[in-house]
Amino acid sequence: MSKERLIYLPLGGAGEIGMNAYVYGWGAPGKERMIIVDLGVTFPDMESSPGVDLIFADVEWLEERADRIEGVFITHAHEDHVGAVGHLWSRLRAPVFARKFTAHHATRKLEEAGQDPANVTVASPWPETTKAGPFTVGFVPISHSIPESSGVVIDTPAGRIVHTGDFKIDPTPLVGEPFDPDLWRSIGESGVKALVCDSTNVFSPHSGRSEASLADPITSLIQDAPGMVVATTFASNVARVKTLAEAAEAAGRSVCLMGRAMRRMIEASVATGVLTDFPKVVSPEDALDLPRTNLMLIVTGSQGERRAASAALSRGKYLGHEMKEGDLFLFSSKTIPGNEKGVIRVMNLLSEMGVDVVDDSSGDYHVSGHANRPDLAEMHKLINPQMLIPMHGEHRHLRAHVALGEESGIPGVVAPNGSMVDLTGDRPDVVEYVEAGRTYLDGEVQIGALDGVVRNRIRMALNGHVIVTAIIEDDEALGEPWVEIMGLPETGKSKAPLVDVMEEDLSQFLGRAKRSTLADDDDLEKELKRIARQTAQDEIGKKPEVTVVISRLTP
Amino acid sequence: MSKERLIYLPLGGAGEIGMNAYVYGWGAPGKERMIIVDLGVTFPDMESSPGVDLIFADVEWLEERADRIEGVFITHAHEDHVGAVGHLWSRLRAPVFARKFTAHHATRKLEEAGQDPANVTVASPWPETTKAGPFTVGFVPISHSIPESSGVVIDTPAGRIVHTGDFKIDPTPLVGEPFDPDLWRSIGESGVKALVCDSTNVFSPHSGRSEASLADPITSLIQDAPGMVVATTFASNVARVKTLAEAAEAAGRSVCLMGRAMRRMIEASVATGVLTDFPKVVSPEDALDLPRTNLMLIVTGSQGERRAASAALSRGKYLGHEMKEGDLFLFSSKTIPGNEKGVIRVMNLLSEMGVDVVDDSSGDYHVSGHANRPDLAEMHKLINPQMLIPMHGEHRHLRAHVALGEESGIPGVVAPNGSMVDLTGDRPDVVEYVEAGRTYLDGEVQIGALDGVVRNRIRMALNGHVIVTAIIEDDEALGEPWVEIMGLPETGKSKAPLVDVMEEDLSQFLGRAKRSTLADDDDLEKELKRIARQTAQDEIGKKPEVTVVISRLTP
């Protein structure tokens, strides 16, 4: 039997920001007992995944080895870490562990997927640990932009792994535990085999700022506002929502929460005890009775999402509330790449109403939840690991993070999704590439990103769609072929309707086609498609997708 | 007869960045003689305009009044100012005026559209002017990021208008004329009715930096590079291309231009005399014989465009050249909102090759071509106009720019596309709203943005497409209905093929449908559509687009 080994295998999150899913295994090759850290989602976009509802890691490799999975450990309750745990549970069927607040969210994910919420176990924080096969796993509090974020410390027969999860070094995060350098140093003291570390902000050159630094600027911004104030941030950024609410209170304004995610998140925070002294909130209905100078709305939609409260307010009345000239709208958030156009759309609609829009461009109203470059170096130093495996980042982030580690003499490796890394020796060693991809949740069906379904949608969107129907009886065309178009101009060069020109060309072809062509479905389809595309090219200058339907009547 | 008036009417560029098209008119209401300043394009995206090739202003209003158009004046050769002049010429049929370099581009646009290039007249710069009906128009050199950029000074019976075009205040732009404050002050001295002013950078709080400030940092970056260097910027930014080429030369590297737009632009610049001392370039073939440490490629694709040279290099070999570990790739450019994902994709592919990517995040390798907030205030002061009309900006830019003018006591108005503003009196007065929209060039056909063609493409992309075919003879279904799907999962809840389940449900319906339903095309189509959508909803959890084709056989 081969020697036992310790492996690391990212299936999501390494080579992208989002969709985190990391596997650790210990045992003889091919017989490793495994744990999963995080099972998150990423979000579709019109360019690459139109019509898709959610995206998560392709777990086929894991599913085939489900009997070897000891547990799923969730570091925190952000969607890109916990969002897929419900959708994928039936395929992995392993117990889920998380701290209380995170477990609250994981439980709901399982319930929504029709799974037994009892599969989620609430874990106490470090120094308590959970045994999972050959692993002993502890949740160590770490500061980030959501309550109860944790790094996981994984003790294995080959040594200790520190998997940071998402984190920043914040001594005053306002909600949740401050970053405790002594605690992390002590975790590193007994020797750490591998630091598996968040890479999101490796390109941010200056030390990160604390959540607490925002209270003063936000408070004075709100105090100076002459009309109604509306602010948006990620609902999960409970500390920020609290900062905004307290600033409102200090300015003599009542707070009203809008958007389902916002209310749910604050309720969950109160229910699980992570939020204890949140200002009193008024309902949207009651808020209608307050003078607008005494009101602040905190709303969902910091990324310009069309269905969120911010977008609804930018379009007009929402729950009876309407913004107007002299009001203030604050984006206490950063725009995630790809969402710029949506955010700008909301900003311009608000501008049309005469609303003053303030965003994070001054740096006064938002701080990131991730460790910047000097903070990453600080973390390397505190943990002092034998090797560094950057995770949660695009390829360029992982690469720059390896280089940063090397500056301190720590060997590292760029291990994108699908790279199986053997951590047993002195240095990380990529031993295998596993098929790693994306699974799309489309309506209620899980489809592979490369199945061709979405590719066909993109083709129809780019090229339009022509449907050609022909009825064949006794190997002769019965009547004229019929053409329908969708997503194409009605007329082109000849000024006659495009469908008429196509039907004419197709009809001519059928009239002179050989009997053998008419008798062969494949040949006939190919020819009809070719003619429809050529006619479109001549008439409108583009070649559409064509579906041919041949009906054969048996006389 | 009504009193004569001076009007301003933006049809593009006011309420967006791009697609500039501004109309000025003088005369009795409804009888104004008109000129157009700029006829630009904007670019489609997958989210709102999939499959579209180019977007320009809807000029229907102008087309109906084409006999009143005295001329089209193009301020500079950027696509968002000159790009539509060929596509729209046959609808407007007015003479086109521009300075030599810009005219070179306008001429090519007309030729490509099959129009007579003799419709373009080369205009000499200020103090020379062109008479156009009641207007006297002069092209005044102004610094921007392309050679021979000009503001236009329009003398009218109601006073002088200064239309800045795109500009920055740059005393050392390297290519093209420096900004000349004395010249602009002299233009303002005799009194200016309206300053119609670029608004792009109104949210940039600090004074802009000169193009010349980039030479040193770029030169030292290239000098320190250990391998091949590749740099990208907008091809039209001839000064930047020159800076990059001179930095290469200073570092002992030969320069090779890649990408059609890059070569064309430099050739046009040399041919029209705006570029006189560009370093010698080598062809891509000859460059293959040079040591990579003695080579610098300057390539197209600063926005991550899939077909440009930068993207081609990121995917592998391009014209025999290939990047590798230790090479440097410089984005000497800013990413336009909406292009982030494309640029990031290129960066990550380069990272996978081991290439070091440098972008403008340090601020050392790119400067904007537009006037920042303090520079706009400076321009207001130099011109000292009676009123300010901000143009070229989203709504929020226009609004902030009006507020900036008001700080100096200059009355202004936010006039988005379609607002007809009467400039005759002491203050700008919006007198009418004209239908202003977008025209899509789709293949070779111009379609209205709201025609529904593109909406249908988006629907197919989001929802997939089902085609139902039924043959009816003598008001009875002949055989089974036939279903084809495109862009939908093959199976859903029941695990049977989706098309089979749909055909079964549709067949059952046809079997029990009333004769009157079968006899009525509209009723039958509606019912078949409803059933197909409902079956899809049950099986896969989404409702597709459905096209129903009913063939009636006459017995």
Side-chain angles (χ1 to χ4, degrees):
Chain A
M1 190 183 109
S2 308
K3 238 175 85 183
E4 291 175 314
R5 62 180 186 178
L6 176 64
I7 58 167
Y8 161 79
L9 169 64
L11 291 174
E16 68 202 318
I17 294 179
M19 202 178 90
N20 293 274
Y22 306 93
V23 179
Y24 293 93
W26 167 261
K31 298 202 157 55
E32 295 91 349
R33 304 299 301 174
M34 299 186 286
I35 59 169
I36 302 165
V37 178
D38 290 338
L39 268 180
V41 298
T42 192
F43 297 96
D45 59 42
M46 187 68 190
E47 189 160 343
S48 62
S49 45
V52 168
D53 292 284
L54 267 182
I55 301 173
F56 24 84
D58 177 357
V59 295
E60 196 180 329
W61 187 90
L62 275 176
E63 190 177 10
E64 288 165 1
R65 295 157 180 81
D67 59 318
R68 292 203 261 129
I69 307 172
E70 301 282 355
V72 180
F73 295 81
I74 309 292
T75 59
H76 64 288
H78 276 147
E79 289 297 320
D80 60 335
H81 295 260
V82 73
V85 76
H87 299 290
L88 297 180
W89 197 85
S90 66
R91 298 173 60 188
L92 305 176
R93 313 191 76 79
V96 177
F97 301 91
R99 290 176 66 198
K100 192 172 175 188
F101 175 79
T102 308
H104 176 99
H105 291 274
T107 300
R108 218 186 57 224
K109 300 282 177 199
L110 261 70
E111 281 169 352
E112 287 171 359
Q115 306 297 339
D116 185 356
N119 289 302
V120 178
T121 301
V122 174
S124 296
W126 186 264
E128 296 210 25
T129 56
T130 302
K131 278 289 288 179
F135 302 106
T136 305
V137 184
F139 287 94
V140 185
I142 201 161
S143 45
H144 182 43
S145 50
I146 188 168
E148 279 191 1
S149 288
S150 303
V152 288
V153 170
I154 308 169
D155 283 320
T156 82
R160 175 169 283 187
I161 292 166
V162 174
H163 179 109
T164 64
D166 290 355
F167 81 103
K168 69 184 289 190
I169 294 186
D170 192 341
T172 50
L174 302 187
V175 173
E177 297 96 340
F179 186 86
D180 182 350
D182 293 333
L183 173 60
W184 286 102
R185 193 181 293 109
S186 76
I187 282 166
E189 257 164 8
S190 47
V192 168
K193 167 141 279 277
L195 173 64
V196 183
C197 190
D198 182 9
S199 308
T200 310
N201 278 8
V202 69
F203 291 116
S204 299
H206 308 297
S207 294
R209 288 173 302 134
S210 170
E211 186 66 29
S213 70
L214 299 177
D216 285 348
I218 291 179
T219 303
S220 56
L221 181 73
I222 295 173
Q223 261 161 349
D224 294 345
M228 185 161 76
V229 178
V230 181
T232 185
T233 190
F234 276 110
S236 59
N237 195 335
V238 175
R240 185 68 48 78
V241 177
K242 192 180 176 206
T243 300
L244 292 166
E246 287 175 346
E249 200 174 39
R253 289 173 185 264
S254 295
V255 172
C256 172
L257 304 176
M258 280 189 187
R260 197 173 59 144
M262 189 64 74
R263 289 195 313 277
R264 267 195 175 182
M265 191 56 78
I266 298 304
E267 282 162 20
S269 304
V270 171
T272 55
V274 296
L275 191 59
T276 48
D277 45 357
F278 194 79
K280 196 178 156 305
V281 301
V282 296
S283 71
E285 301 76 46
D286 291 347
L288 287 170
D289 299 329
L290 297 172
R292 41 201 301 123
T293 51
N294 289 352
L295 184 60
M296 168 144 141
L297 314 181
I298 305 178
V299 307
T300 52
S302 69
Q303 300 304 307
E305 303 93 325
R306 278 179 195 273
R307 292 179 188 179
S310 68
L313 281 168
S314 79
R315 289 189 296 259
K317 244 180 207 172
Y318 180 62
L319 301 177
H321 292 268
E322 194 165 18
M323 299 197 74
K324 62 181 193 187
E325 179 89 34
D327 287 347
L328 175 73
F329 193 103
L330 171 62
F331 281 88
S332 182
S333 54
K334 121 172 218 237
T335 303
I336 293 170
N339 297 341
E340 289 80 4
K341 286 202 168 184
V343 169
I344 287 173
R345 183 169 47 231
V346 169
M347 286 182 168
N348 282 312
L349 288 169
L350 292 170
S351 174
E352 288 179 24
M353 294 176 176
V355 172
D356 291 312
V357 176
V358 174
D359 66 12
D360 75 326
S361 54
S362 71
D364 289 339
Y365 308 118
H366 176 68
V367 294
S368 170
H370 295 272
N372 291 354
R373 192 174 174 86
D375 309 317
L376 291 171
E378 173 69 15
M379 191 68 175
H380 300 172
K381 210 169 135 191
L382 285 171
I383 302 297
N384 189 27
Q386 195 180 346
M387 58 186 82
L388 172 71
I389 319 278
M391 51 107 183
H392 206 194
E394 300 162 12
H395 194 282
R396 62 195 176 115
H397 296 92
L398 305 182
R399 184 162 173 270
H401 197 171
V402 164
L404 178 65
E406 282 169 354
E407 286 177 18
S408 321
I410 309 170
V413 68
V414 175
N417 294 338
S419 324
M420 187 189 287
V421 186
D422 187 337
L423 309 176
T424 324
D426 290 342
R427 302 178 71 94
D429 184 17
V430 177
V431 288
E432 193 182 332
Y433 289 100
V434 159
E435 187 72 28
R438 294 178 158 207
T439 296
Y440 292 158
L441 180 69
D442 188 56
E444 290 161 6
V445 180
Q446 292 187 18
I447 55 179
L450 303 178
D451 284 1
V453 171
V454 168
R455 189 192 56 213
N456 281 343
R457 283 188 205 156
I458 293 173
R459 285 186 177 165
M460 289 190 290
L462 294 176
N463 307 325
H465 196 188
V466 170
I467 298 108
V468 176
T469 311
I471 303 177
I472 309 290
E473 188 174 33
D474 199 15
D475 295 346
E476 277 189 29
L478 187 65
E480 308 283 301
W482 185 263
V483 171
E484 299 259 356
I485 59 173
M486 190 158 182
L488 288 167
E490 289 188 5
T491 57
K493 204 169 287 177
S494 69
K495 308 290 177 198
L498 176 60
V499 294
D500 291 358
V501 183
M502 281 187 175
E503 285 173 358
E504 175 65 27
D505 288 356
L506 292 164
S507 187
Q508 280 192 19
F509 162 78
L510 287 177
R512 59 169 191 260
K514 278 186 282 188
R515 212 177 166 86
S516 62
T517 305
L518 291 173
D520 184 313
D521 275 1
D522 288 347
D523 272 10
L524 184 56
E525 179 175 338
K526 210 176 102 193
E527 287 298 302
L528 293 174
K529 204 172 267 195
R530 185 182 60 75
I531 291 161
R533 284 166 63 85
Q534 189 55 51
T535 303
Q537 177 65 43
D538 295 344
E539 279 291 302
I540 60 171
K542 65 192 292 171
K543 289 193 169 176
E545 301 304 304
V546 179
T547 295
V548 174
V549 181
I550 299 168
S551 302
R552 288 192 185 272
L553 299 187
T554 36
Chain B
M1 191 183 109
S2 309
K3 238 176 84 183
E4 291 174 315
R5 63 180 185 178
L6 176 64
I7 57 167
Y8 161 79
L9 169 63
L11 291 174
E16 68 201 318
I17 293 178
M19 201 178 88
N20 293 274
Y22 308 92
V23 180
Y24 294 93
W26 166 261
K31 299 201 156 56
E32 294 90 351
R33 304 300 301 176
M34 300 186 286
I35 59 170
I36 301 166
V37 178
D38 290 339
L39 268 179
V41 299
T42 192
F43 296 97
D45 59 43
M46 187 68 190
E47 190 160 344
S48 62
S49 45
V52 169
D53 293 283
L54 267 183
I55 302 173
F56 25 83
D58 177 357
V59 295
E60 197 181 329
W61 187 91
L62 275 177
E63 190 177 11
E64 289 165 0
R65 294 158 180 81
D67 59 319
R68 293 203 261 129
I69 307 172
E70 301 282 355
V72 180
F73 295 81
I74 308 293
T75 58
H76 63 287
H78 276 147
E79 289 296 321
D80 61 335
H81 295 259
V82 73
V85 76
H87 300 290
L88 296 179
W89 197 85
S90 65
R91 298 173 60 188
L92 306 175
R93 312 190 76 79
V96 177
F97 301 92
R99 290 176 66 197
K100 191 173 175 188
F101 175 79
T102 309
H104 177 99
H105 291 274
T107 300
R108 217 185 58 224
K109 301 282 178 200
L110 261 69
E111 281 169 353
E112 286 170 0
Q115 306 296 338
D116 184 357
N119 290 302
V120 178
T121 301
V122 174
S124 297
W126 187 264
E128 296 211 25
T129 57
T130 303
K131 278 290 288 178
F135 302 106
T136 305
V137 183
F139 287 94
V140 185
I142 200 162
S143 45
H144 182 44
S145 50
I146 188 168
E148 279 192 2
S149 288
S150 303
V152 286
V153 171
I154 308 169
D155 283 319
T156 83
R160 174 169 283 186
I161 292 166
V162 174
H163 179 108
T164 64
D166 290 355
F167 80 103
K168 69 183 291 191
I169 294 186
D170 192 339
T172 49
L174 302 188
V175 173
E177 297 94 341
F179 186 86
D180 182 350
D182 293 333
L183 174 60
W184 286 102
R185 194 181 293 111
S186 77
I187 282 166
E189 257 164 10
S190 46
V192 168
K193 166 137 281 268
L195 173 64
V196 182
C197 190
D198 181 9
S199 307
T200 311
N201 277 9
V202 69
F203 291 117
S204 300
H206 307 296
S207 294
R209 289 173 302 134
S210 171
E211 186 66 29
S213 69
L214 300 177
D216 285 349
I218 290 179
T219 303
S220 56
L221 181 73
I222 296 174
Q223 260 160 352
D224 294 346
M228 185 163 73
V229 178
V230 181
T232 184
T233 189
F234 277 110
S236 59
N237 196 335
V238 176
R240 186 70 47 78
V241 177
K242 192 180 175 206
T243 300
L244 292 165
E246 287 175 346
E249 200 174 38
R253 290 172 185 264
S254 295
V255 173
C256 173
L257 303 177
M258 280 190 188
R260 195 174 59 144
M262 189 63 75
R263 288 194 314 276
R264 267 193 176 186
M265 191 56 80
I266 297 304
E267 283 161 17
S269 303
V270 172
T272 56
V274 297
L275 191 60
T276 48
D277 45 355
F278 195 79
K280 198 179 156 305
V281 301
V282 295
S283 71
E285 302 76 49
D286 291 347
L288 287 170
D289 298 330
L290 297 172
R292 40 201 302 122
T293 50
N294 289 353
L295 185 59
M296 167 144 143
L297 314 181
I298 305 178
V299 306
T300 52
S302 68
Q303 302 303 307
E305 303 93 324
R306 278 180 194 271
R307 294 180 187 177
S310 68
L313 282 167
S314 78
R315 290 189 297 260
K317 245 181 204 169
Y318 180 61
L319 301 178
H321 292 267
E322 195 166 17
M323 298 196 75
K324 61 181 195 188
E325 180 89 34
D327 287 347
L328 174 73
F329 193 103
L330 170 64
F331 282 88
S332 181
S333 53
K334 113 167 226 246
T335 304
I336 293 171
N339 296 341
E340 289 79 5
K341 286 202 167 183
V343 170
I344 288 173
R345 182 171 50 231
V346 169
M347 286 181 168
N348 281 311
L349 288 170
L350 292 170
S351 175
E352 287 178 25
M353 294 176 174
V355 173
D356 290 312
V357 177
V358 173
D359 65 12
D360 74 326
S361 54
S362 70
D364 288 340
Y365 308 117
H366 177 68
V367 294
S368 170
H370 295 272
N372 290 355
R373 192 175 175 83
D375 309 317
L376 292 172
E378 173 69 15
M379 192 66 175
H380 300 170
K381 211 169 134 192
L382 285 171
I383 301 296
N384 189 28
Q386 196 179 347
M387 59 185 80
L388 171 70
I389 319 277
M391 52 106 184
H392 207 195
E394 300 162 11
H395 194 282
R396 62 195 176 116
H397 297 92
L398 305 183
R399 185 163 171 269
H401 197 172
V402 165
L404 177 66
E406 282 168 354
E407 286 177 19
S408 322
I410 308 169
V413 68
V414 175
N417 293 339
S419 323
M420 187 188 289
V421 186
D422 187 337
L423 308 176
T424 324
D426 291 341
R427 302 178 71 95
D429 184 18
V430 178
V431 289
E432 194 183 331
Y433 289 99
V434 159
E435 188 71 28
R438 294 178 158 207
T439 296
Y440 292 158
L441 181 69
D442 189 56
E444 291 161 6
V445 180
Q446 293 188 16
I447 55 179
L450 303 177
D451 284 1
V453 170
V454 168
R455 189 193 56 215
N456 281 342
R457 283 188 205 156
I458 292 173
R459 285 187 177 162
M460 289 190 290
L462 293 175
N463 307 323
H465 196 188
V466 171
I467 297 106
V468 176
T469 310
I471 302 178
I472 309 291
E473 187 173 32
D474 200 16
D475 295 346
E476 276 190 30
L478 186 66
E480 308 282 300
W482 184 264
V483 172
E484 300 260 356
I485 58 172
M486 189 158 182
L488 288 166
E490 288 187 5
T491 57
K493 205 169 286 175
S494 69
K495 309 287 176 199
L498 177 60
V499 294
D500 291 358
V501 183
M502 281 187 177
E503 285 172 357
E504 176 65 27
D505 288 356
L506 291 164
S507 188
Q508 280 191 19
F509 163 78
L510 287 177
R512 59 169 193 261
K514 278 187 284 189
R515 213 176 165 83
S516 63
T517 305
L518 292 173
D520 184 314
D521 276 0
D522 287 347
D523 272 11
L524 184 56
E525 177 175 339
K526 210 177 104 194
E527 287 298 302
L528 293 173
K529 203 172 267 195
R530 186 183 60 74
I531 290 161
R533 284 166 63 86
Q534 189 56 50
T535 302
Q537 177 65 42
D538 295 344
E539 278 292 300
I540 60 170
K542 65 191 291 171
K543 290 194 167 173
E545 301 305 303
V546 179
T547 295
V548 174
V549 181
I550 299 169
S551 302
R552 288 191 184 273
L553 300 186
T554 36

